[in-house]
Amino acid sequence: MTQAPKSSTAPPPHSGLPTLPAVPPQPTSPGTAPTPLSPPEARRTAFAEGVDRLRAAATTEPGRLRIIGALLALLVVAFGAVTAWQMTDRAAAADDVINSSQPLSSDAAAIYRSLADANTAATSGYLAGQQETPTNRRRYAEDIHTAADKLVTAAANSEPGSPSADLIAQINKLLPEYEGLVETARANNRQGYPVGGAYLRAANEMMQQQMLPKAENLYQTENRRLRSDYADAKSFPWPALALGVLALAALAWAQRRNYLRTNRVLNHGLVAATATATIVLLWLVAGHTIARAGLNDSYDHGVRSLNVLHDARIASLTARSDENLALVRRGADTKELADGRIVDAYNAGYDEQIAALGEALTQAGALADDDTGRKPVQDANGYMKVWKERHEVAREENDSGDYQKARDKVIGAAEEPTSECFDSVDKALATALSHEQNEFKQAASDGRDALTGLPVGAAVLAVLGAAGAVLGIGRRLSEYR
């Protein structure tokens, strides 16, 4: 019997398919690179997908309406937010003008005036000697107390390390030294020692060359701060105005587009948004215009008048101090004029300061905008003219060698003294300063009050306007459902 030959490789069990012959590996020719696999497709970013969706939505009317509604709401809200922000800043600057920078400027002027008046009272008291009145002594003490009190207030309201803080600290350091020199001069004068005049001269030089220049620098620094606050309060809110015009233009375009596509004249939501934006824009323009006018008036007829009157009062005080020192020093200090003449330094100082007083009074009269403000300035000018006449009489008596009559004519021990004229000028200037201070407060407060409620009102109306725009567009979208 013949048997089938045995194979070394048995077919797999239960396989009904024929076995395919194995393909031998194909040799690769030299220099042929293998075919690379294609890289996986890069994943798109969320931003790109969003742009595609937006582009696709813009091809349909509902999509366009949604985009228009979002942009309108954004413009109206941005307009209200920027208006609220800018008006808040301007209202705060106007409030700083009234309650911070202007009072500090006045305090700085009061420091200067008090120091100058204390120096005048000290020279008057020394000149009077045993005849010094309690009123003059009390005036000196009150001036020193006022200067110290105003320095404390100014220090509390100045920033640590600022130029104003440094100036205040320097004046505070010099003040007790000045008081010590004055008291030493008085003590020697009461005992009849001529050295008292040297101490009084040292005190006057400290005041004129160190303390008053620092006080004037402080006054100028606070005035610059006041001008900066004025500039912030009066600056035009250009970004808010531009956004308001842009928002109204966009709302007008949206309503025209709606009319062209639907033939409907009005869309209640868009009309409401336009009305609120218009109200905010008109309120912004009117409120800022009124505020600016009030602040301008407060500066032109308040701050400028106050500055000129402060200058007049300082010139009056300095003239009085020089008038006294001319008799205290008795020609010991001289000065060469431009024409080569040698004159008494303090007589020359009096002439310069009385001329400065006349110029300041002329300016103050021109700046006064009512009879109440002009009258004290006119009175001061009249007293100044009489003062000049009486001073000439006293100077002639002193030049002729009659020192006692000249001294009595100055300190008030004789008839028609110059001291009465000086006191009258000072009181008239104080009255004018009080009136102009009230004028400033009234005008500046009116300007600040014009901005009251504008920031909050703009924000609320902007939210309502944005809601109106969204509802108006939503009404159109409902027609496609």
Side-chain angles (χ1 to χ4, degrees), residues 290-310:
I290 295 172
R292 186 180 175 86
L295 290 170
N296 281 333
D297 184 58
S298 71
Y299 188 84
D300 292 337
H301 300 291
V303 173
R304 290 179 61 194
S305 294
L306 288 170
N307 289 341
V308 172
L309 289 170
H310 284 309

Side-chain angles (χ1 to χ4, degrees), residues 109 112-113 116 219 309-319 353:
Y112 192 109
R113 188 203 65 78
Y219 176 57
L309 289 170
H310 284 309
D311 292 341
R313 204 172 190 188
I314 289 168
S316 171
L317 291 165
T318 308
Q353 294 302 321

Side-chain angles (χ1 to χ4, degrees), residues 100-109 112 154 157-159 161-168 171 212-229 307:
S100 179
S101 52
Q102 200 283 327
L104 285 175
S105 177
S106 293
D107 284 346
Y112 192 109
N157 289 280
S158 61
E159 297 181 2
S162 65
S164 294
D166 293 340
L167 289 169
I168 293 168
I171 297 173
L212 290 181
K214 294 180 189 304
E216 183 178 7
N217 196 356
L218 176 64
Y219 176 57
Q220 296 299 335
T221 300
E222 295 302 331
N223 262 352
R224 286 192 294 271
R225 178 180 171 186
L226 174 60
R227 287 193 294 269
S228 176
D229 286 340
N307 289 341

Side-chain angles (χ1 to χ4, degrees), residues 59-294:
T59 61
T60 65
E61 182 62 14
R64 294 190 192 99
L65 288 173
R66 290 187 180 93
I67 295 172
I68 292 172
L71 290 177
L72 289 176
L74 180 62
L75 274 175
V76 174
V77 169
F79 171 43
V82 172
T83 299
W85 164 54
Q86 291 199 298
M87 290 301 98
T88 298
D89 283 351
R90 281 150 183 75
D95 191 70
D96 286 341
V97 166
I98 299 171
N99 297 316
S100 179
S101 52
Q102 200 283 327
L104 285 175
S105 177
S106 293
D107 284 346
I111 291 171
Y112 192 109
R113 188 203 65 78
S114 297
L115 292 174
D117 194 49
N119 194 54
T120 300
T123 57
S124 297
Y126 183 91
L127 190 60
Q130 298 294 333
Q131 296 179 346
E132 181 182 13
T133 63
T135 301
N136 188 78
R137 179 70 177 177
R138 185 168 55 252
R139 180 172 182 168
Y140 169 81
E142 289 176 352
D143 285 332
I144 293 295
H145 176 76
T146 300
D149 186 58
K150 295 295 183 181
L151 285 169
V152 171
T153 302
N157 289 280
S158 61
E159 297 181 2
S162 65
S164 294
D166 293 340
L167 289 169
I168 293 168
Q170 293 171 23
I171 297 173
N172 263 325
K173 182 180 178 181
L174 291 171
L175 188 58
E177 297 179 17
Y178 171 81
E179 290 184 82
L181 289 172
V182 170
E183 292 306 322
T184 303
R186 281 175 167 169
N188 281 278
N189 188 40
R190 290 192 187 98
Q191 299 179 51
Y193 298 150
V195 72
Y199 280 104
L200 185 65
R201 179 188 179 190
N204 180 69
E205 289 179 350
M206 178 182 289
M207 178 65 73
Q208 299 290 345
Q209 299 175 13
Q210 298 185 59
M211 299 176 70
L212 290 181
K214 294 180 189 304
E216 183 178 7
N217 196 356
L218 176 64
Y219 176 57
Q220 296 299 335
T221 300
E222 295 302 331
N223 262 352
R224 286 192 294 271
R225 178 180 171 186
L226 174 60
R227 287 193 294 269
S228 176
D229 286 340
Y230 262 108
D232 292 341
K234 296 191 298 181
S235 61
F236 281 100
W238 294 117
L241 292 172
L243 278 172
V245 172
L246 182 60
L248 285 176
L251 287 166
W253 172 83
Q255 292 177 86
R256 184 175 183 276
R257 183 182 184 276
N258 182 60
Y259 169 74
L260 293 176
R261 279 166 172 73
T262 66
N263 206 30
R264 294 175 184 149
V265 178
L266 297 177
N267 178 291
H268 295 158
L270 294 179
V271 170
T274 304
T276 56
T278 303
I279 291 172
V280 173
L281 185 60
L282 292 176
W283 192 358
L284 170 64
V285 172
H288 186 268
T289 301
I290 295 172
R292 186 180 175 86

